[in-house]
Amino acid sequence: MSTPERLIESTRELLWERGYVGTSPKAVLERAGAGQGSMYHHFKGKPDLALAAIRRTAEEMRTTAEGVLGGPGTPYERIEAYLLRERDVLRGCPVGRLTMDPEVVADDALRAPVDETLGWLRARLAGIVEEGKERGEFAPSVNGEEIAAAVVATVQGGYVLARASGSPAAFDAGVRGLLALLAPRDR
Amino acid sequence: MSTPERLIESTRELLWERGYVGTSPKAVLERAGAGQGSMYHHFKGKPDLALAAIRRTAEEMRTTAEGVLGGPGTPYERIEAYLLRERDVLRGCPVGRLTMDPEVVADDALRAPVDETLGWLRARLAGIVEEGKERGEFAPSVNGEEIAAAVVATVQGGYVLARASGSPAAFDAGVRGLLALLAPRDR
DNA sequence: GTCTATACGAAGATAGAC
DNA sequence: GTCTATCTTCGTATAGAC
């Protein structure tokens, strides 16, 4: 792997583990096995490197989600598959995590990929819910965008509960609760 | 306000804004208008001061939540009141936020108040859901603990969505979606 | 109790040699 | 492209004067 690649990958790992504020160039360099000069040759500085890392992580998250949401099954089944998909729960979401970083939220360039990814996910889920309404799987009274927001929020908040308790159980409980409420009745 | 009080309050603000990793003793001292010596006289160091701040924030959160959850109304109405209560959405949750801090999660003493508070909230909500089942407001098939986890997760995740988009709208959407799913039918 | 002085490594970046 | 200085400020803490 090339040096810029290693720098980006190391940054992605550290951003996930420690966030933007908690990630120092020094730590990135050590993990990547590179020297100071390399980093400042390929990137303008910490924000520039972080931006490259965040963009890649955001794209990866979209790809993973689409793999499940675009799969087979009824709308409910695809949402269920998304919620039940295997996750490293205690590590949390590498994208959502960044919203707790004041320097990411304050910087439009850094926040943009985060916003776009979660926005895309919400819109994608909203469309699936609307599809489910047309098929009679969901009640006509439900609002696709609201359900989509609740689904994404349950996942993001599930990570919070899991990390607080040190166990994935709370994440699973929240997902099961939401799925129970969402399940098509009378079948 | 006494010096230790000012130190704790300043720390609470900074932990909320910037998290544990992003909060330096120096910043706390400036905000509190105190000198280095004062802080190390009253507290053993940064973790000790942070613990005092986190404990107070956790207690405050429990008090606020109990004010709504212990209020009047049917179980559904009390859960609704909790979800719709006024919040400074873009600031996020001062307790839940700490779960994204690796140094908090890694330190049992710092994590304990976070875990206890969210655990208490889940149990409190679970009891209310069970009460609603007894009254026939919720279906007997729903699981109180699961619904409670979904409710808390929706709130915690709602903050993530709001901060990502820079607007409270996503938080509100998620809450409305969950309430629509939770609403008693046929009445 | 509070202050200043001092310490030492880390954060973030630049300069210039190779 | 990569490396090793070098720089300045910050982070965290101790020592000791007042």
Side-chain angles (χ1 to χ4, degrees):
Chain A
M1 198 160 39
S2 69
T3 298
E5 276 302 306
R6 288 203 317 276
L7 288 168
I8 290 176
E9 290 303 314
S10 300
T11 303
R12 297 213 304 145
E13 294 172 15
L14 282 164
L15 285 179
W16 194 356
E17 292 168 21
R18 307 192 41 83
Y20 182 82
V21 170
T23 296
S24 69
K26 186 181 186 186
V28 169
L29 297 174
E30 278 170 9
R31 190 170 296 213
Q36 295 267 90
S38 284
M39 169 179 151
Y40 286 100
H41 175 75
H42 295 288
F43 301 94
K44 285 198 276 289
K46 174 177 170 175
D48 188 42
L49 174 54
L51 181 57
I54 292 173
R55 280 184 173 147
R56 182 170 298 180
T57 297
E59 191 184 330
E60 194 182 83
M61 178 170 154
R62 279 194 291 273
T63 302
T64 302
E66 180 58 32
V68 178
L69 295 176
T74 68
Y76 175 80
E77 286 167 350
R78 282 184 282 152
I79 293 174
E80 183 182 38
Y82 170 73
L83 284 167
L84 295 179
R85 123 180 180 237
E86 224 174 323
R87 297 164 192 275
D88 206 340
V89 170
L90 289 180
R91 293 185 77 187
C93 173
V95 174
R97 193 223 177 292
L98 298 168
T99 62
M100 292 302 134
D101 244 301
E103 316 213 348
V104 170
V105 170
D107 184 328
D108 283 342
L110 292 178
R111 187 171 58 81
V114 176
D115 186 18
E116 286 160 14
T117 300
L118 292 174
W120 169 86
L121 181 57
R122 285 207 282 146
R124 187 75 175 86
L125 282 163
I128 294 174
V129 172
E130 293 298 332
E131 189 189 330
K133 281 165 66 177
E134 284 169 22
R135 299 173 44 124
E137 200 179 21
F138 298 130
S141 59
V142 306
N143 177 305
E145 293 186 9
E146 290 178 2
I147 301 299
V151 168
V152 180
T154 298
V155 169
Q156 294 293 328
Y159 290 128
V160 171
L161 300 186
R163 287 173 64 91
S165 61
S167 153
F171 180 100
D172 297 335
V175 163
R176 279 198 304 275
L178 182 66
L179 280 173
L181 295 177
L182 203 54
R185 329 257 152 182
D186 315 319
R187 56 189 68 200
Chain B
M1 201 161 34
S2 69
T3 297
E5 276 301 306
R6 287 202 319 276
L7 287 168
I8 291 177
E9 289 304 313
S10 300
T11 303
R12 296 214 303 146
E13 293 172 16
L14 283 164
L15 285 178
W16 195 355
E17 292 167 22
R18 305 190 43 83
Y20 183 81
V21 170
T23 295
S24 70
K26 187 182 185 185
V28 170
L29 297 175
E30 278 169 11
R31 191 169 294 215
Q36 295 267 90
S38 283
M39 171 181 149
Y40 286 99
H41 174 74
H42 295 288
F43 301 95
K44 285 198 274 287
K46 174 177 169 175
D48 188 41
L49 174 52
L51 181 57
I54 291 172
R55 281 183 173 151
R56 182 170 300 181
T57 297
E59 190 185 330
E60 193 182 84
M61 177 171 156
R62 278 195 291 274
T63 303
T64 302
E66 180 56 32
V68 178
L69 295 175
T74 68
Y76 176 79
E77 286 167 350
R78 281 184 283 154
I79 292 173
E80 183 183 38
Y82 170 73
L83 285 167
L84 296 179
R85 111 171 193 244
E86 225 175 323
R87 297 165 192 274
D88 206 341
V89 170
L90 290 179
R91 295 185 74 188
C93 173
V95 173
R97 198 229 173 286
L98 298 168
T99 63
M100 293 301 135
D101 243 302
E103 316 212 348
V104 170
V105 170
D107 184 328
D108 283 342
L110 292 178
R111 188 172 57 81
V114 176
D115 185 19
E116 286 161 13
T117 300
L118 292 174
W120 170 85
L121 180 57
R122 286 207 283 145
R124 187 74 174 86
L125 282 163
I128 293 174
V129 171
E130 293 298 333
E131 189 189 329
K133 282 166 63 178
E134 285 170 20
R135 298 175 44 125
E137 200 179 21
F138 298 129
S141 60
V142 306
N143 177 308
E145 292 185 10
E146 290 179 0
I147 300 299
V151 167
V152 180
T154 298
V155 169
Q156 294 293 328
Y159 291 129
V160 170
L161 300 185
R163 287 174 63 91
S165 60
S167 152
F171 180 99
D172 297 335
V175 163
R176 279 199 305 274
L178 182 65
L179 280 174
L181 295 176
L182 203 54
R185 330 254 154 185
D186 314 318
R187 57 189 70 200

